[in-house]
Amino acid sequence: MKNEPFEIGLVGAGAISAGAYTAGVIDFMVYALDLWYQAKKEGDASVPQHDVRLSVFSGASAGAITAALAAGYLASDQPPITSESDANYNRGRNKLYDSWVDRIDMSSLLQGTDLADQDANVVSALDSTILTEIAQTGLDVQPRAEKRPYVAENFELVLTVTNLRGVPYGFTVDGGWGGIDKYDMSLHADYVHFQINDTGHDPEISDRYTLSWNDLCDSVHPVTEKIKTAALASGAFPIGLAPRTLEHAVNLPHGNGMYSSRKWPVPTPDSDKCTQMKEIKADWGSASRNYTYSFQCVDGGVMNNEPLELARQLLAGSGNYNPRTCDHANRAVLMIDPFPSESLFDPDYKEAPDLLNMAKTLFGALKNQARFKPDELTLASSNQVCSRFMIAPKRDGELYPIACGSLGGFGGFLSRKFRKHDYFLGRRNAQRFFREHFVLRADHPLFASWSEDAVNEYEFDGQNGRVRPIIPLVGEAMDDCALLEWPKYEKPAFDIFLKQVDSRAGLVIDRMVGQYFRNNFWLIRFIARKVLGRKKKDLVEYVEKVVSGDLKKMLLMRD
């Protein structure tokens, strides 16, 4: 294994506004890798000489948006944001920072641009126009003259979506008494898979879209456009943000179609313990051979908020497993999760008192059940397993480390200060993680090329004996990352926010009356507006109470 690189698969968990934290982690990782590989290129024998490869990035919701932006980041030269002065000097040039800190804000989400057309229907509580604009600019970059050496030849980008239409599958089952019955089901936990390389499309691979790194930087390339739409679809929080529509050809010219070419772990007939990766054909019924399958999507995090298994399978290869022990691991999945403790147990249980609260409780139960993955996360939490790692927010001595964590993750949209804090926290946490936790045993074959100077500089005592970092920090990457003061939301800004909520609610209510009572007598529409107008006041008061209470609880707003 001496000359083989250590492969890394990244996983971006759903995070809503805390995508700013994930973006900060990615910014520091690329910064550290660039400095390390530049030192090796310049012939500095004192730095570690082994190699790593970034091979996969799977993401859900905000993690998917960050994954798409990260692909563009890797394809281009964008300045890292190491300080607030960097952020000011390089405004707009770092797409991770620009998208997650500077551009996405509640003031934009509460506008009415999406309803400027009088015939436009209400499809979401918030105005999602700014997200479309961010998608257009986030991948509008200039390609690098030379590909980064630590990026895999075939880089896999996987974005999860919740497919509201569903993919049809049918199975024939022995119904007894000589009869054969058909069992039908639909897949809704969907994803869109892209492969980025400069070697061209492999006709044997028909379950993903392919494009070159230069194509990725072409903002009007059809596959780049599909990446943008898939990222927006994955981030479309149900009801809050606008759903998106995707489409696939049922039968691609080079294969059996996007869904029929996917492989699933299926138990072997002669064993109750072994599985094999097997294609399962989608059942398109009487659809034509060249049928275009279109489907509306919402937040990928609803069904698969931590797509760790997708990344693991791509790293391992079809039907294989990644070595786990710290002296043999040669591949690892690294999950970035801003909210690892989102569903803490509440000892004070209250039954749902009415129909609407029951529906809300049911939605939460379905979402949390879809995210229940003890088999995957138990391995990630073990210090004996070196094929799975996780970076999560940590701020020493603080009960609430991440400012975007208020309001179920939406709180970061209230203030640029919150998002800026979390971006820099992501960089700081990533620095500590790569320096102290992303390690293997010192006698691992990966490190066979290390010089004595590198051993003296980078080897240290870890939980499993002497260890060495997989991504060593070189030069300026060793300088302490900035830790910003805990941000505060000021009363004047809160007052402006409430006025924007009132304005948006009024616009949405007025448009929905016209939308759903269009064919009714004018008096019915008048009464509906009056009744809903009173409810608007209750809504604004409810928002004021909930938002102020949560911000004060997290010490983000003064009493």
Side-chain angles (χ1 to χ4, degrees):
M1 181 176 166
K2 177 179 177 180
N3 297 317
E4 295 181 6
F6 188 91
E7 283 196 88
I8 301 171
L10 301 172
V11 180
I16 312 178
S17 66
Y21 176 86
T22 306
V25 171
I26 298 301
D27 188 25
F28 182 83
M29 172 185 268
V30 175
Y31 174 65
L33 285 166
D34 281 348
L35 288 172
W36 174 32
Y37 269 79
Q38 183 61 33
K40 290 201 297 180
K41 182 179 180 180
E42 293 173 354
D44 187 350
S46 67
V47 303
Q49 298 296 307
H50 67 276
D51 281 302
V52 300
R53 290 290 182 274
L54 299 183
S55 300
V56 182
F57 202 151
S58 66
S61 190
I65 294 173
T66 306
L69 292 170
Y73 194 95
L74 290 169
S76 60
D77 283 315
Q78 299 181 34
I81 303 299
T82 63
S83 65
E84 293 184 85
S85 60
D86 269 352
N88 293 329
Y89 180 77
N90 293 304
R91 185 173 295 275
R93 296 176 60 204
N94 181 307
K95 300 300 183 180
L96 289 168
Y97 191 90
D98 180 59
S99 300
W100 278 115
V101 178
D102 284 340
R103 302 197 62 188
I104 180 67
D105 192 82
M106 189 61 76
S107 60
S108 298
L109 295 172
L110 290 173
Q111 289 182 357
T113 308
D114 59 329
L115 299 175
D117 185 343
Q118 292 298 316
D119 295 326
N121 286 335
V122 176
V123 296
S124 59
L126 300 174
D127 183 353
S128 301
T129 307
I130 185 63
L131 298 174
T132 305
E133 294 174 1
I134 289 172
Q136 292 300 325
T137 59
L139 291 178
D140 185 12
V141 294
Q142 291 296 317
R144 285 173 57 92
E146 184 178 356
K147 187 169 86 62
R148 284 183 161 93
Y150 54 81
V151 176
E153 181 177 345
N154 293 311
F155 182 80
E156 311 287 350
L157 177 66
V158 185
L159 312 178
T160 69
V161 295
T162 295
N163 183 330
L164 297 180
R165 184 178 183 182
V167 183
Y169 288 89
F171 301 86
T172 54
V173 182
D174 187 352
W177 296 284
I180 299 295
D181 293 329
K182 186 180 178 186
Y183 187 90
D184 297 317
M185 61 176 66
S186 295
L187 170 75
H188 296 273
D190 203 354
Y191 61 88
V192 191
H193 189 170
F194 304 91
Q195 185 181 92
I196 309 171
N197 62 43
D198 289 324
T199 59
H201 178 73
D202 184 346
E204 299 299 320
I205 301 177
S206 56
D207 64 343
R208 67 204 69 177
Y209 296 95
T210 58
L211 73 166
S212 70
W213 289 100
N214 281 350
D215 290 339
L216 179 67
C217 300
D218 179 358
S219 60
V220 297
H221 190 278
V223 181
T224 303
E225 286 293 332
K226 192 172 287 288
I227 291 176
K228 296 175 187 177
T229 304
L232 290 171
S234 188
F237 192 87
I239 300 175
L241 300 174
R244 307 286 170 162
T245 299
L246 287 163
E247 63 179 35
H248 298 312
V250 167
N251 288 287
L252 299 179
H254 51 266
N256 294 321
M258 189 65 60
Y259 293 104
S260 294
S261 299
R262 290 180 180 176
K263 293 186 176 181
W264 304 79
V266 177
T268 54
D270 57 347
S271 172
D272 60 354
K273 295 182 179 179
C274 298
T275 61
Q276 59 182 343
M277 299 301 291
K278 184 178 179 180
E279 293 178 356
I280 300 177
K281 303 296 183 183
D283 185 1
W284 300 106
S286 60
S288 64
R289 177 174 177 79
N290 296 318
Y291 179 71
T292 298
Y293 169 66
S294 63
F295 52 101
Q296 198 172 42
C297 302
V298 294
D299 194 341
V302 172
M303 296 288 184
N304 190 355
N305 197 56
E306 294 93 9
L308 188 149
E309 181 62 13
L310 290 173
R312 187 204 67 79
Q313 288 181 5
L314 285 168
L315 274 185
S318 181
N320 295 320
Y321 290 88
N322 296 316
R324 295 174 179 170
T325 60
C326 295
D327 56 347
H328 288 96
N330 57 7
R331 299 181 290 267
V333 176
L334 170 55
M335 184 164 70
I336 309 166
D337 194 346
F339 301 131
S341 301
E342 186 179 5
S343 299
L344 293 176
F345 179 73
D346 185 355
D348 297 324
Y349 176 71
K350 295 181 180 179
E351 296 180 351
D354 53 46
L355 180 63
L356 291 179
N357 278 285
M358 178 60 73
K360 179 182 176 182
T361 302
L362 176 61
F363 175 77
L366 292 172
K367 179 184 70 173
N368 289 329
Q369 180 59 40
R371 299 176 178 182
F372 187 71
K373 303 172 183 178
D375 51 340
E376 296 179 16
L377 298 179
T378 297
L379 292 174
S381 65
S382 172
N383 59 22
Q384 301 299 316
V385 174
C386 287
S387 61
R388 303 183 186 213
F389 296 85
M390 183 171 73
I391 300 179
K394 185 172 181 59
R395 185 181 164 105
D396 292 341
E398 299 290 344
L399 179 61
Y400 302 105
I402 186 165
C404 290
S406 61
L407 304 174
F410 273 89
F413 294 138
L414 290 171
S415 173
R416 181 178 179 274
K417 294 178 182 177
F418 296 172
R419 303 188 299 275
K420 182 173 69 170
H421 170 276
D422 289 354
Y423 190 95
F424 283 102
L425 182 67
R427 296 188 92 259
R428 185 178 178 89
N429 286 173
Q431 181 185 50
R432 182 172 179 179
F433 172 79
F434 292 128
R435 184 168 53 206
E436 301 177 9
H437 302 289
F438 196 45
V439 299
L440 295 171
R441 278 180 40 173
D443 58 357
H444 193 287
L446 177 70
F447 306 126
S449 61
W450 276 35
S451 67
E452 191 63 31
D453 287 341
V455 172
N456 293 334
E457 178 68 26
Y458 291 96
E459 186 176 311
F460 63 96
D461 288 322
Q463 290 181 319
N464 297 317
R466 299 291 287 177
V467 295
R468 298 178 184 178
I470 298 171
I471 297 180
L473 303 186
V474 172
E476 294 177 349
M478 299 177 70
D479 297 341
D480 287 341
C481 287
L483 177 63
L484 305 189
E485 291 184 358
W486 191 244
K488 298 291 183 181
Y489 194 54
E490 303 299 335
K491 184 66 166 55
F494 186 54
D495 292 338
I496 293 173
F497 162 70
L498 291 177
K499 291 179 181 178
Q500 292 172 330
V501 171
D502 183 87
S503 176
R504 176 69 184 179
L507 176 61
V508 169
I509 288 172
D510 183 71
R511 190 59 58 84
M512 289 183 70
V513 169
Q515 185 174 321
Y516 292 108
F517 295 88
R518 182 177 294 120
N519 297 323
N520 293 93
F521 184 54
W522 68 268
L523 183 59
I524 300 296
R525 294 197 297 271
F526 176 79
I527 294 172
R529 284 192 172 92
K530 284 294 183 181
V531 172
L532 292 176
R534 292 174 183 172
K535 290 296 181 183
K536 184 191 77 166
K537 180 180 178 182
D538 294 340
L539 172 64
V540 175
E541 290 177 353
Y542 175 77
V543 169
E544 179 179 13
K545 177 181 177 182
V546 170
V547 173
S548 63
D550 209 32
L551 292 180
K552 290 174 182 177
K553 174 185 173 183
M554 293 186 61
L555 305 179
L556 291 166
M557 190 168 76
R558 298 180 179 88
D559 289 324

